[in-house]
Amino acid sequence: GENVEQHPSTLSVQEGDSAVIKCTYSDSASNYFPWYKQELGKRPQLIIDIRSNVGEKKDQRIAVTLNKTAKHFSLHITETQPEDSAVYFCAASSGNTGTASKLTFGTGTRLQVTL
Amino acid sequence: KAGVTQTPRYLIKTRGQQVTLSCSPISGHRSVSWYQQTPGQGLQFLFEYFSETQRNKGNFPGRFSGRQFSNSRSEMNVSTLELGDSALYLCASSLGGLTSDTQYFGPGTRLTVL
């Protein structure tokens, strides 16, 4: 089955700096890659996602890049703010019927933005 | 639209008991997936229900089961509870089409097994 590795497990940056979180996946059939943000005691919330027919997607300060050949995708957060502090999870799924909703998650990255 | 809701939010059970958790998806969503979140294993897929049928299953023992009703609400059941079943159980709903679409998570049910 799919395996998703995520690095680093913790990341501390100063406010205003950029943060990059990287994930690799094993199943070449995977074609959907969402990123979730989970604040302490709260539910995971989707912040951005990318499909395999796109190499990069951006939404304000957040961007995701995908390299299908190398089977890795990354989350980039620019101009970090204290409210960006949370645990970030990457995930992957294949778009085939029966498996489209099966998300395999990375182990999470705890991002701390310091003043 | 109302978000995904889960009941109860907290549960305390003892080993050997069974438990039933409930999830109400976003209106119009036909797929409900269940995940177990623990500090050691992270977020792990349990199973997915679509149109009252289990469409996909993760690698959990048969003590974990679920069902979905005609209104898309879903329940999951854990029988013969073990200490290791202590976790946050999250459900997520989506439209459930043929291609992957956004999954929206509920607040979770925190289960503690003593």
Side-chain angles (χ1 to χ4, degrees):
Chain A
E2 175 67 280
N3 182 51
V4 177
E5 294 190 359
Q6 182 171 349
H7 299 281
S9 56
T10 60
L11 180 59
S12 182
V13 300
Q14 284 198 316
E15 183 180 7
D17 287 350
S18 295
V20 180
I21 302 170
K22 299 181 179 182
C23 290
T24 59
Y25 61 98
S26 62
D27 188 351
S28 56
S30 289
N31 57 9
Y32 175 64
F33 308 93
W35 286 87
Y36 284 86
K37 173 184 180 182
Q38 188 175 28
E39 296 177 71
L40 190 62
K42 297 196 174 179
R43 71 188 77 189
Q45 293 203 303
L46 181 79
I47 55 171
I48 196 166
D49 57 11
I50 191 167
R51 298 182 188 276
S52 59
N53 58 346
V54 175
E56 184 174 358
K57 185 176 178 181
K58 190 173 180 180
D59 182 4
Q60 300 184 332
R61 297 185 297 108
I62 294 173
V64 57
T65 59
L66 170 65
N67 183 328
K68 285 193 298 181
T69 303
K71 294 186 197 166
H72 68 70
F73 55 114
S74 300
L75 178 72
H76 304 253
I77 305 174
T78 59
E79 300 171 22
T80 53
Q81 302 166 2
E83 51 265 39
D84 294 330
S85 296
V87 179
Y88 291 81
F89 292 95
C90 63
S93 77
S94 67
N96 303 315
T97 303
T99 60
S101 295
K102 180 182 178 180
L103 291 176
T104 300
F105 283 88
T107 48
T109 296
R110 184 173 301 279
L111 173 64
Q112 183 172 6
V113 180
T114 58
L115 298 172
Chain B
K1 265 186 186 177
V4 180
T5 59
Q6 291 186 245
T7 56
R9 294 292 312 278
Y10 302 91
L11 267 177
I12 299 176
K13 293 285 187 180
T14 56
R15 278 181 301 174
Q17 288 187 308
Q18 74 163 19
V19 66
T20 299
L21 314 181
S22 180
C23 174
S24 293
I26 291 170
S27 178
H29 285 191
R30 296 170 64 192
S31 168
V32 174
S33 298
W34 288 89
Y35 295 86
Q36 182 195 65
Q37 185 173 28
T38 59
Q41 299 298 317
L43 277 155
Q44 292 188 291
F45 175 83
L46 280 154
F47 32 65
E48 181 221 358
Y49 284 86
F50 177 80
S51 291
E52 303 178 62
T53 302
Q54 187 180 86
R55 189 162 67 169
N56 204 10
K57 189 176 186 303
N59 298 321
F60 279 80
R63 300 186 297 107
F64 292 83
S65 62
R67 60 177 175 168
Q68 187 178 36
F69 302 93
S70 58
N71 62 357
S72 295
R73 189 177 69 85
S74 177
E75 290 181 347
M76 68 163 279
N77 183 77
V78 188
S79 62
T80 320
L81 284 166
E82 300 177 0
L83 295 178
D85 297 334
S86 294
L88 180 67
Y89 290 89
L90 293 158
C91 73
S93 79
S94 66
L95 291 171
L98 295 178
T99 57
S100 300
D101 58 341
T102 302
Q103 291 192 34
Y104 298 87
F105 282 87
T109 294
R110 184 163 296 282
L111 172 64
T112 301
V113 182
L114 303 176

